[in-house]
Coordinates of all heavy atoms in Angstrom, one line a residue:
M1 N -81.4 10.2 224.4 CA -80.0 10.3 224.8 C -79.7 9.3 225.9 O -80.4 9.2 226.9 CB -79.7 11.7 225.2 CG -78.2 11.9 225.7 SD -77.8 13.6 226.2 CE -78.2 14.5 224.8
N2 N -78.6 8.5 225.7 CA -78.2 7.6 226.7 C -77.5 8.3 227.9 O -76.8 9.2 227.7 CB -77.2 6.6 226.1 CG -77.9 5.6 225.1 OD1 -79.1 5.4 225.2 ND2 -77.1 5.2 224.2
R3 N -77.8 7.8 229.1 CA -77.1 8.3 230.3 C -75.7 7.6 230.4 O -75.6 6.4 230.3 CB -77.9 8.0 231.5 CG -79.1 8.8 231.7 CD -79.7 8.5 233.0 NE -80.9 9.3 233.2 CZ -82.0 8.9 233.8 NH1 -82.1 7.7 234.3 NH2 -83.0 9.6 233.9
P4 N -74.7 8.4 230.5 CA -73.4 7.8 230.7 C -73.3 7.2 232.1 O -73.9 7.6 233.0 CB -72.4 9.0 230.5 CG -73.2 10.2 230.9 CD -74.6 9.9 230.5
A5 N -72.4 6.2 232.2 CA -72.2 5.6 233.5 C -71.1 6.3 234.2 O -70.0 6.5 233.7 CB -71.9 4.1 233.4
P6 N -71.2 6.7 235.5 CA -70.1 7.4 236.2 C -69.1 6.3 236.6 O -69.4 5.1 236.8 CB -70.8 7.9 237.5 CG -72.1 7.2 237.6 CD -72.5 6.7 236.3
L7 N -67.9 6.8 236.7 CA -66.8 5.9 237.1 C -66.8 5.7 238.6 O -66.5 4.6 239.0 CB -65.4 6.6 236.8 CG -65.1 6.8 235.3 CD1 -63.8 7.6 235.1 CD2 -65.1 5.5 234.5
Y8 N -67.2 6.7 239.3 CA -67.4 6.6 240.8 C -68.6 7.4 241.2 O -69.0 8.4 240.5 CB -66.1 7.2 241.5 CG -64.8 6.7 241.0 CD1 -64.0 7.3 240.2 CD2 -64.4 5.4 241.6 CE1 -62.8 6.8 239.7 CE2 -63.2 4.9 241.1 CZ -62.4 5.6 240.2 OH -61.2 5.1 239.8
A9 N -69.2 7.0 242.3 CA -70.4 7.7 242.8 C -70.4 7.6 244.3 O -70.1 6.6 244.9 CB -71.7 7.1 242.2
Y10 N -70.7 8.8 244.9 CA -70.7 8.9 246.4 C -71.9 9.6 246.9 O -72.3 10.6 246.2 CB -69.5 9.6 246.9 CG -68.2 8.8 246.7 CD1 -67.5 9.0 245.5 CD2 -67.7 7.9 247.6 CE1 -66.3 8.3 245.3 CE2 -66.6 7.2 247.5 CZ -65.8 7.4 246.3 OH -64.7 6.7 246.0
D11 N -72.5 9.2 247.9 CA -73.5 10.0 248.7 C -72.7 10.8 249.7 O -71.9 10.2 250.4 CB -74.6 9.2 249.3 CG -75.7 8.7 248.4 OD1 -75.8 9.4 247.3 OD2 -76.4 7.8 248.7
I12 N -73.0 12.1 249.8 CA -72.3 12.9 250.7 C -73.3 13.3 251.9 O -74.3 13.9 251.6 CB -71.8 14.2 250.1 CG1 -71.0 13.9 248.8 CG2 -70.9 15.0 251.1 CD1 -69.8 13.1 249.0
R13 N -72.9 13.0 253.1 CA -73.7 13.3 254.2 C -73.5 14.7 254.7 O -72.5 15.3 254.3 CB -73.4 12.4 255.4 CG -73.7 10.9 255.2 CD -73.3 10.1 256.3 NE -73.7 8.7 256.2 CZ -73.2 7.7 256.9 NH1 -72.4 8.0 257.9 NH2 -73.6 6.5 256.7
T14 N -74.5 15.2 255.4 CA -74.4 16.6 255.9 C -73.2 16.9 256.8 O -72.7 18.0 256.9 CB -75.7 17.1 256.6 OG1 -76.0 16.2 257.6 CG2 -76.8 17.1 255.6
D15 N -72.6 15.8 257.4 CA -71.5 16.0 258.2 C -70.1 16.0 257.4 O -69.0 16.1 258.0 CB -71.4 14.9 259.4 CG -71.2 13.5 258.8 OD1 -71.0 13.3 257.6 OD2 -71.1 12.6 259.7
G16 N -70.3 15.8 256.1 CA -69.1 15.8 255.2 C -68.5 14.4 254.9 O -67.7 14.3 254.0
S17 N -69.0 13.4 255.6 CA -68.5 12.0 255.3 C -69.2 11.6 254.0 O -70.3 12.0 253.6 CB -68.9 11.1 256.4 OG -70.2 11.0 256.6
A18 N -68.5 10.6 253.3 CA -69.0 10.1 252.0 C -69.1 8.6 252.1 O -68.4 7.9 252.8 CB -68.0 10.5 251.0
I19 N -70.1 8.1 251.4 CA -70.4 6.7 251.3 C -70.3 6.3 249.8 O -71.1 6.8 249.0 CB -71.8 6.4 251.8 CG1 -71.9 6.8 253.3 CG2 -72.1 4.9 251.6 CD1 -73.3 6.7 253.8
A20 N -69.4 5.4 249.5 CA -69.3 5.0 248.1 C -70.5 4.1 247.7 O -71.0 3.3 248.5 CB -68.1 4.1 247.9
L21 N -71.1 4.4 246.5 CA -72.2 3.6 246.1 C -71.7 2.4 245.3 O -71.0 2.5 244.3 CB -73.1 4.5 245.2 CG -73.7 5.7 245.9 CD1 -74.4 6.6 244.9 CD2 -74.6 5.3 247.0
D22 N -72.1 1.2 245.7 CA -71.7 0.0 245.0 C -72.4 -0.1 243.7 O -71.8 -0.6 242.7 CB -72.0 -1.2 245.8 CG -71.2 -1.2 247.1 OD1 -70.0 -0.7 247.0 OD2 -71.6 -1.8 248.1
D23 N -73.7 0.2 243.6 CA -74.4 0.1 242.3 C -74.4 1.5 241.7 O -75.3 2.3 241.9 CB -75.8 -0.4 242.6 CG -76.7 -0.6 241.4 OD1 -76.1 -0.5 240.3 OD2 -77.9 -0.8 241.6
I24 N -73.5 1.7 240.8 CA -73.3 3.0 240.2 C -74.4 3.4 239.3 O -74.9 4.5 239.3 CB -71.9 3.1 239.4 CG1 -70.8 3.0 240.4 CG2 -71.9 4.3 238.6 CD1 -69.4 3.0 239.8
Q25 N -75.1 2.5 238.6 CA -76.2 2.8 237.8 C -77.3 3.3 238.6 O -78.0 4.3 238.1 CB -76.6 1.6 236.9 CG -75.9 1.5 235.7 CD -75.9 2.7 234.8 OE1 -74.8 3.3 234.6 NE2 -77.0 3.0 234.2
S26 N -77.6 2.8 239.8 CA -78.7 3.3 240.6 C -78.4 4.7 241.1 O -79.2 5.4 241.6 CB -79.0 2.4 241.8 OG -77.9 2.4 242.7
A27 N -77.1 5.1 241.1 CA -76.7 6.5 241.6 C -77.4 7.6 240.8 O -77.7 8.6 241.4 CB -75.2 6.6 241.5
L28 N -77.7 7.3 239.6 CA -78.4 8.3 238.8 C -79.8 8.4 239.1 O -80.5 9.4 238.7 CB -78.2 8.0 237.2 CG -76.7 8.0 236.7 CD1 -76.7 7.4 235.3 CD2 -76.2 9.4 236.8
H29 N -80.4 7.5 239.8 CA -81.8 7.5 240.1 C -82.1 7.6 241.6 O -83.3 7.6 241.9 CB -82.4 6.1 239.7 CG -82.1 5.9 238.2 ND1 -82.7 6.5 237.2 CD2 -81.3 4.9 237.6 CE1 -82.2 6.1 236.0 NE2 -81.4 5.1 236.3
S30 N -81.1 7.9 242.4 CA -81.4 8.0 243.8 C -81.9 9.4 244.2 O -81.7 10.3 243.4 CB -80.1 7.7 244.6 OG -80.3 7.9 246.0
S31 N -82.4 9.5 245.4 CA -82.9 10.8 245.8 C -82.0 11.4 247.0 O -82.6 12.0 247.8 CB -84.4 10.7 246.3 OG -84.4 9.7 247.4
A32 N -80.8 11.0 247.0 CA -79.9 11.5 248.1 C -79.8 13.0 248.0 O -80.0 13.6 246.9 CB -78.5 10.9 247.9
R33 N -79.6 13.6 249.2 CA -79.5 15.0 249.2 C -78.3 15.6 248.5 O -78.4 16.6 247.8 CB -79.5 15.5 250.7 CG -79.4 17.0 250.8 CD -80.0 17.4 252.1 NE -79.9 18.9 252.2 CZ -80.9 19.7 252.3 NH1 -82.1 19.2 252.3 NH2 -80.7 21.0 252.4
Y34 N -77.1 15.0 248.7 CA -75.9 15.4 248.0 C -75.3 14.2 247.4 O -75.2 13.1 248.0 CB -74.9 16.0 249.0 CG -75.4 17.3 249.7 CD1 -75.9 17.2 251.0 CD2 -75.5 18.5 249.1 CE1 -76.3 18.3 251.7 CE2 -75.9 19.6 249.7 CZ -76.4 19.5 251.0 OH -76.9 20.6 251.7
R35 N -74.8 14.4 246.2 CA -74.3 13.2 245.4 C -73.1 13.7 244.6 O -73.1 14.8 244.0 CB -75.3 12.7 244.5 CG -74.8 11.8 243.4 CD -75.2 10.3 243.5 NE -75.7 9.8 244.7 CZ -77.0 9.4 244.8 NH1 -77.8 9.4 243.8 NH2 -77.4 8.8 245.9
W36 N -72.0 13.0 244.6 CA -70.8 13.3 243.8 C -70.7 12.2 242.7 O -70.6 11.0 243.1 CB -69.6 13.4 244.6 CG -68.4 13.8 243.8 CD1 -68.1 15.0 243.3 CD2 -67.3 12.9 243.4 NE1 -66.9 14.9 242.6 CE2 -66.4 13.6 242.7 CE3 -67.1 11.5 243.6 CZ2 -65.2 13.1 242.1 CZ3 -65.9 11.0 243.1 CH2 -65.0 11.8 242.4
L37 N -70.7 12.5 241.4 CA -70.5 11.5 240.4 C -69.3 12.0 239.6 O -69.1 13.1 239.3 CB -71.8 11.6 239.4 CG -73.1 11.3 240.1 CD1 -74.2 11.5 239.1 CD2 -73.2 9.9 240.6
H38 N -68.5 11.0 239.3 CA -67.3 11.2 238.5 C -67.4 10.6 237.2 O -67.6 9.4 237.1 CB -66.0 10.7 239.3 CG -64.7 11.0 238.6 ND1 -64.0 12.1 238.9 CD2 -64.1 10.3 237.6 CE1 -62.9 12.1 238.1 NE2 -63.0 11.0 237.4
F39 N -67.3 11.4 236.1 CA -67.4 10.9 234.7 C -66.1 11.1 234.0 O -65.3 11.9 234.3 CB -68.5 11.6 234.0 CG -69.8 11.4 234.5 CD1 -70.5 12.3 235.4 CD2 -70.6 10.3 234.0 CE1 -71.7 12.1 235.8 CE2 -71.9 10.1 234.5 CZ -72.4 11.0 235.4
D40 N -65.9 10.3 232.9 CA -64.7 10.4 232.1 C -65.2 11.3 230.9 O -66.0 10.9 230.1 CB -64.3 9.0 231.6 CG -63.1 9.1 230.6 OD1 -62.8 10.2 230.2 OD2 -62.6 8.1 230.2
L41 N -64.7 12.5 230.8 CA -65.2 13.4 229.8 C -64.8 13.0 228.4 O -65.3 13.5 227.4 CB -64.7 14.9 230.0 CG -65.3 15.6 231.2 CD1 -64.7 17.0 231.3 CD2 -66.8 15.8 230.9
H42 N -63.9 12.0 228.3 CA -63.5 11.5 227.0 C -64.5 10.4 226.5 O -64.4 10.0 225.3 CB -62.1 11.0 227.0 CG -61.1 12.1 227.2 ND1 -60.5 12.3 228.5 CD2 -60.6 13.1 226.5 CE1 -59.7 13.3 228.4 NE2 -59.8 13.9 227.2
E43 N -65.3 10.0 227.3 CA -66.4 8.9 227.0 C -67.4 9.6 226.0 O -67.8 10.7 226.3 CB -67.0 8.4 228.2 CG -68.0 7.3 227.9 CD -68.8 6.8 229.1 OE1 -68.2 6.8 230.2 OE2 -69.9 6.5 229.0
A44 N -67.7 8.9 225.0 CA -68.7 9.4 224.0 C -70.0 9.8 224.7 O -70.5 9.0 225.5 CB -68.9 8.4 222.9
G45 N -70.5 11.0 224.5 CA -71.8 11.4 224.9 C -71.8 12.1 226.3 O -72.8 12.6 226.7
V46 N -70.7 12.0 227.0 CA -70.7 12.6 228.4 C -70.9 14.1 228.4 O -71.8 14.6 229.1 CB -69.4 12.2 229.2 CG1 -69.4 13.0 230.5 CG2 -69.4 10.7 229.5
R47 N -70.2 14.8 227.5 CA -70.3 16.2 227.4 C -71.7 16.6 227.0 O -72.4 17.5 227.6 CB -69.3 16.8 226.5 CG -67.9 16.8 227.1 CD -66.9 17.4 226.0 NE -65.6 17.3 226.5 CZ -64.9 18.2 227.1 NH1 -65.5 19.3 227.4 NH2 -63.7 17.9 227.5
D48 N -72.3 15.9 226.0 CA -73.6 16.2 225.5 C -74.6 16.0 226.6 O -75.6 16.8 226.8 CB -74.0 15.3 224.3 CG -73.1 15.7 223.1 OD1 -72.6 16.8 223.0 OD2 -73.0 14.8 222.2
W49 N -74.5 14.9 227.4 CA -75.4 14.6 228.5 C -75.4 15.7 229.6 O -76.4 16.2 230.0 CB -75.1 13.3 229.1 CG -76.1 12.9 230.2 CD1 -77.3 12.4 230.1 CD2 -75.8 13.0 231.6 NE1 -77.9 12.2 231.3 CE2 -76.9 12.5 232.3 CE3 -74.7 13.3 232.3 CZ2 -77.0 12.4 233.6 CZ3 -74.7 13.2 233.7 CH2 -75.9 12.8 234.3
I50 N -74.2 16.1 229.9 CA -74.0 17.2 230.9 C -74.6 18.5 230.5 O -75.4 19.1 231.2 CB -72.5 17.4 231.3 CG1 -72.0 16.2 232.1 CG2 -72.3 18.7 232.1 CD1 -70.5 16.2 232.3
E51 N -74.4 18.8 229.2 CA -75.0 20.0 228.7 C -76.5 20.0 228.6 O -77.2 21.0 228.8 CB -74.3 20.3 227.3 CG -72.9 20.7 227.4 CD -72.2 20.8 226.1 OE1 -72.8 20.4 225.0 OE2 -71.0 21.1 226.0
A52 N -77.1 18.8 228.3 CA -78.5 18.7 228.3 C -79.2 18.7 229.6 O -80.3 19.1 229.7 CB -78.8 17.4 227.5
E53 N -78.4 18.2 230.6 CA -79.1 18.0 232.0 C -78.8 19.1 233.0 O -79.4 19.0 234.1 CB -78.6 16.6 232.5 CG -79.1 15.5 231.7 CD -80.5 15.3 231.8 OE1 -81.2 15.5 232.8 OE2 -81.1 14.8 230.7
T54 N -77.9 20.0 232.7 CA -77.6 21.1 233.6 C -77.7 22.4 233.0 O -77.9 22.6 231.8 CB -76.1 20.9 234.2 OG1 -75.2 21.1 233.1 CG2 -75.9 19.6 234.8
D55 N -77.7 23.4 233.9 CA -77.7 24.8 233.5 C -76.4 25.1 232.6 O -75.4 24.5 232.9 CB -77.6 25.7 234.8 CG -77.6 27.2 234.4 OD1 -78.7 27.7 234.4 OD2 -76.5 27.7 234.3
P56 N -76.5 25.9 231.6 CA -75.4 26.2 230.7 C -74.1 26.6 231.5 O -73.0 26.2 231.1 CB -75.8 27.3 229.8 CG -77.4 27.1 229.7 CD -77.7 26.6 231.1
L57 N -74.2 27.4 232.5 CA -73.1 27.9 233.3 C -72.4 26.7 234.0 O -71.2 26.6 234.0 CB -73.5 29.0 234.3 CG -72.4 29.6 235.1 CD1 -71.4 30.3 234.2 CD2 -72.9 30.6 236.1
V58 N -73.3 25.9 234.6 CA -72.8 24.7 235.3 C -72.1 23.7 234.3 O -71.0 23.2 234.5 CB -73.9 23.9 236.0 CG1 -73.5 22.6 236.6 CG2 -74.5 24.8 237.1
A59 N -72.7 23.5 233.1 CA -72.1 22.6 232.1 C -70.8 23.1 231.6 O -69.8 22.4 231.5 CB -73.0 22.5 230.9
E60 N -70.7 24.4 231.5 CA -69.4 25.1 231.1 C -68.3 24.8 232.1 O -67.2 24.4 231.8 CB -69.6 26.6 230.9 CG -68.3 27.4 230.7 CD -67.5 27.1 229.5 OE1 -68.1 26.6 228.5 OE2 -66.3 27.4 229.5
A61 N -68.6 25.0 233.4 CA -67.7 24.8 234.5 C -67.3 23.3 234.6 O -66.1 23.0 234.8 CB -68.3 25.2 235.8
L62 N -68.2 22.4 234.4 CA -67.9 21.0 234.6 C -67.1 20.3 233.4 O -66.5 19.3 233.6 CB -69.2 20.2 234.8 CG -70.0 20.4 236.1 CD1 -71.3 19.7 236.1 CD2 -69.1 20.0 237.3
T63 N -67.3 20.9 232.3 CA -66.6 20.3 231.1 C -65.4 21.1 230.7 O -64.7 20.6 229.7 CB -67.6 20.3 229.9 OG1 -68.0 21.6 229.6 CG2 -68.8 19.4 230.2
R64 N -64.9 22.0 231.4 CA -63.7 22.7 231.1 C -62.5 21.8 231.3 O -62.5 21.0 232.2 CB -63.5 24.0 231.9 CG -64.5 25.1 231.6 CD -64.2 26.3 232.5 NE -62.8 26.7 232.4 CZ -62.4 27.8 231.8 NH1 -63.3 28.6 231.2 NH2 -61.2 28.1 231.8
E65 N -61.5 21.9 230.5 CA -60.3 21.0 230.6 C -59.5 21.3 231.8 O -58.8 20.4 232.3 CB -59.4 21.2 229.3 CG -60.0 20.6 228.1 CD -60.2 19.1 228.1 OE1 -59.4 18.4 228.8 OE2 -61.2 18.6 227.6
D66 N -59.6 22.5 232.3 CA -58.7 22.9 233.5 C -59.5 22.8 234.8 O -58.9 23.2 235.8 CB -58.3 24.3 233.3 CG -59.4 25.4 233.2 OD1 -60.6 25.0 233.1 OD2 -59.1 26.6 233.4
T67 N -60.6 22.1 234.9 CA -61.3 21.9 236.2 C -61.1 20.5 236.7 O -61.1 19.6 236.1 CB -62.8 22.2 236.1 OG1 -63.4 21.6 235.0 CG2 -63.0 23.7 236.1

């Protein structure tokens, strides 16, 4: 399964500040403590990837149209 590319990616520091990641592809491979990735749910394969990579409850919450 191909990994979708996030539209935006940020590392979140413990003080709440965020740092935008310039290299979005590397965002999927980093070991940052907190990370925010923004995907387009209309992109082919994104929902399938989220469902395969997360807990079912988390996948349900992340892929709902109203979230």
Side-chain angles (χ1 to χ4, degrees):
M1 176 180 301
N2 291 332
R3 288 186 180 141
L7 299 174
Y8 307 100
Y10 293 89
D11 279 342
I12 311 298
R13 295 179 175 166
T14 55
D15 67 1
S17 62
I19 300 169
L21 299 173
D22 294 329
D23 182 7
I24 291 177
Q25 274 306 109
S26 70
L28 295 171
H29 306 290
S30 178
S31 61
R33 180 156 179 117
Y34 299 102
R35 164 114 346 112
W36 181 75
L37 302 173
H38 182 91
F39 293 95
D40 178 354
L41 287 179
H42 295 102
E43 181 183 329
V46 170
R47 287 178 189 268
D48 293 336
W49 181 78
I50 290 171
E51 290 169 357
E53 296 294 325
T54 63
D55 180 89
L57 183 62
V58 172
E60 168 69 22
L62 291 175
T63 59
R64 291 179 54 108
E65 291 296 326
D66 62 347
T67 47

